[in-house]
């Protein structure tokens, strides 16, 4: 890999890596801490409001879309300057991010409201927590794959 390409992509790569890490560790926290608590004690209406302090909406908006935009910018701006193998990795990374983003949108729009609904039953909350756990696991793996695809190529 040419040193010049590594130098020219450094700022965007560092920003993208930081954003991917924020997304990854936020989802990992949900997977390890928040979801098991919800599965163990499925209380209807237990999730804070969409725009209240502590809401996960603040974590994902705008970070997840900005991460995707940064990844696309890296691919578009520097795709012609890197070897074919790196372009393929970036394409796989974009695909992984697309999967993660799509799953997260589905979770936030369809599953999250059940956790906020004080009229939902404990069984409904539990069933949606199971959906959240498996789907969020897909997001964790997708973002981890994207992180690998967008950083491993920089090793010289």
């Amino acid at each position: 890999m040419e040193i010049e390409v590594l130098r020219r992509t450094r700022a965007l790569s560092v920003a993208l890596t930081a954003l991917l890490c924020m997304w990854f560790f936020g989802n990992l926290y949900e997977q390890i801490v928040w979801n098991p608590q919800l599965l163990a004690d499925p209380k209807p209406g237990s999730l804070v409001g969409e725009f209240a302090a502590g809401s996960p909406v603040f974590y994902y908006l705008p970070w997840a879309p900005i991460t995707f935009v940064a990844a696309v910018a890296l691919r578009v701006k520097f795709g012609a300057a890197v070897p074919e193998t790196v372009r393929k990795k970036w394409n796989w990374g974009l695909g992984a991010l697309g999967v993660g983003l799509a799953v997260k949108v589905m979770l936030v729009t369809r599953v999250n409201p059940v956790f906020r609904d004080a009229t939902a039953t404990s069984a409904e909350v539990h069933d949606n927590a199971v959906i959240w756990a498996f789907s969020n696991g897909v997001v964790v793996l997708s973002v981890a794959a994207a992180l690998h695809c967008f950083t491993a190529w920089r090793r010289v």
Side-chain angles (χ1 to χ4, degrees), residues 70-145:
V72 169
L74 181 68
R75 173 61 177 87
V76 169
K77 185 171 182 177
F78 297 107
V82 297
E84 178 68 21
T85 57
V86 174
R87 276 193 302 278
K88 284 182 182 178
K89 280 259 191 193
W90 288 357
N91 290 342
W92 279 102
L94 284 170
L97 278 180
V99 167
L101 193 56
V103 170
K104 219 35 165 169
V105 166
M106 182 275 300
L107 287 173
V108 168
T109 59
R110 301 202 185 262
V111 178
N112 248 0
V114 174
F115 301 145
R116 286 188 185 88
D117 185 1
T119 63
T121 66
S122 290
E124 289 173 318
V125 172
H126 181 271
D127 291 348
N128 279 275
V130 170
I131 293 168
W132 187 281
F134 283 103
S135 300
N136 196 57
V138 170
V139 174
V140 168
L141 294 174
S142 296
V143 176

Side-chain angles (χ1 to χ4, degrees), residues 3 9 17-18 24 28 42 45 48-49 54 68-70 77 83 96 100-101 104 115 124 133 141-142 152:
I3 299 298
T9 60
T17 301
F24 174 78
L28 189 60
V48 298
F68 191 78
V69 169
K77 185 171 182 177
L101 193 56
K104 219 35 165 169
F115 301 145
E124 289 173 318
L141 294 174
S142 296

Side-chain angles (χ1 to χ4, degrees), residues 31 34-43 125-131 133:
Q31 199 69 4
W34 181 75
N35 201 263
Q37 289 174 347
L38 191 59
L39 285 166
D41 189 17
K43 291 181 185 170
V125 172
H126 181 271
D127 291 348
N128 279 275
V130 170
I131 293 168

